[in-house]
Amino acid sequence: AADAQALGFDAIELHGAHGYLIDQFFWDRTNQRTDRYGGASIVQRGQFAAGILRAVRAAVGPDFPVIIRLSQWKQQDFSAKIASTPQEMEAWLRPLADAGADVFHCSQRRFWEPEFEGSDLNFAGWAKKLMGKPTITVGSVGLTGEFIAALGGESSKPASLGELLRRLDRGDFDLVAVGRALINDPLWVQKVRDGRQAELMDFSPAALGTLF
C-alpha cells in the first residue's frame, strides 16, 4: 500500500466484467473447467476471482481500497445473467467481499434498468443492499443511447440526469462512472456541476477512434 500511495494511487480496480478473463471464470458458458476453478455453482466458479482478490489484499494491506468491476452482460451475450435472483447475486458477491473487495463497480448497458423483477433497484443498488458495501453504477450515464449501439455507429444526445440523481439521493449507490459522455466533451463534469446542461455535447461514435 505504501508503494501504491507513493505513486499517487488512491485505489486499485480489477476488471472482472464484460467477458474478459476474470469474468470468463464467473460465466458458466465459458467456464467449462473440471478443476477447483470450475463447477456448477457460482461459488465454485468465483474461486479464481477470490484468489486474485486475496493476493491483491495481501499485497496492498488492509486499508488500501480494492474495487472489482462486474457485469451480468457479456460482449458475447448482452442478455446473459450470472445471477438471476438476489440470492444468487449474494452467493456471487459474498466470497468476493470476504476475499478483500471493498467496492463493487456494477456495469450495466443502461443504469436505469432494474436488475430483478419486483424492484426498481439496478445492479449497483442490489449489490449495496446485499453486501452493505459502497457501489459504483455505470451505463449510458448522461446519454440517450447505450455503448453497444455506439459501436454499431449510433450517435447519442445528452439526456436528463434526473433519474440518476433520484437513485443517488435514495442511497442506491455511492459513486457514478461516466464514459462516453466525457469522450466528446471533456468538460462534461464541470458543465453538469455548474448547471450548464444546454452546453453539453452530443456523442459521436467517431470519437472512439479519435485521440483528443
Side-chain angles (χ1 to χ4, degrees):
D3 291 342
Q5 290 169 348
L7 292 170
F9 298 149
D10 297 310
I12 186 170
E13 178 169 293
L14 303 177
H15 198 326
H18 308 160
Y20 293 115
L21 178 61
I22 293 175
D23 196 25
Q24 290 174 20
F25 281 79
F26 289 140
W27 195 27
D28 58 2
R29 281 178 53 187
T30 49
N31 186 344
Q32 302 295 310
R33 300 174 69 101
T34 57
D35 60 10
R36 66 190 182 97
Y37 294 114
S41 76
I42 183 55
V43 175
Q44 294 170 301
R45 299 192 305 275
Q47 284 303 305
F48 180 72
I52 294 174
L53 282 164
R54 284 192 293 269
V56 169
R57 176 55 67 202
V60 302
D63 301 320
F64 194 76
V66 176
I67 308 165
I68 186 165
R69 192 177 200 197
L70 304 169
S71 71
Q72 296 262 45
W73 68 272
K74 318 299 169 200
Q75 292 183 14
Q76 304 93 326
D77 184 353
F78 301 150
S79 63
K81 287 272 189 182
I82 291 175
S84 298
T85 66
Q87 293 75 23
E88 290 180 359
M89 182 171 285
E90 182 168 8
W92 177 22
L93 302 185
R94 181 68 63 188
L96 306 182
D98 292 344
D102 296 306
V103 181
F104 291 104
H105 186 168
C106 302
S107 176
Q108 294 182 257
R109 294 170 63 201
R110 307 170 185 90
F111 79 86
W112 57 87
E113 292 184 340
E115 197 58 45
F116 305 117
E117 290 186 7
S119 168
D120 72 341
L121 287 176
N122 70 359
F123 184 8
W126 271 108
K128 184 172 183 178
K129 179 177 181 178
L130 293 169
M131 295 295 101
K133 288 182 173 289
T135 59
I136 304 169
T137 197
V138 67
S140 303
V141 172
L143 293 173
T144 56
E146 53 93 28
F147 175 67
I148 299 301
L151 295 179
E154 181 179 299
S155 297
S156 296
K157 292 187 175 298
S160 170
L161 296 175
E163 179 61 13
L164 180 76
L165 293 174
R166 182 185 75 83
R167 292 169 182 264
L168 183 63
D169 290 343
R170 191 172 65 178
D172 291 8
F173 37 78
D174 302 273
L175 294 167
V176 178
V178 181
R180 287 174 299 129
L182 286 167
I183 294 176
N184 265 62
D185 193 352
L187 297 180
W188 186 88
V189 172
Q190 291 93 321
K191 291 176 182 178
V192 170
R193 178 196 63 194
D194 298 338
R196 296 153 52 197
Q197 278 78 10
E199 299 179 23
L200 295 175
M201 299 170 60
D202 295 355
F203 168 78
S204 168
L208 295 174
T210 303
L211 181 62
F212 289 95

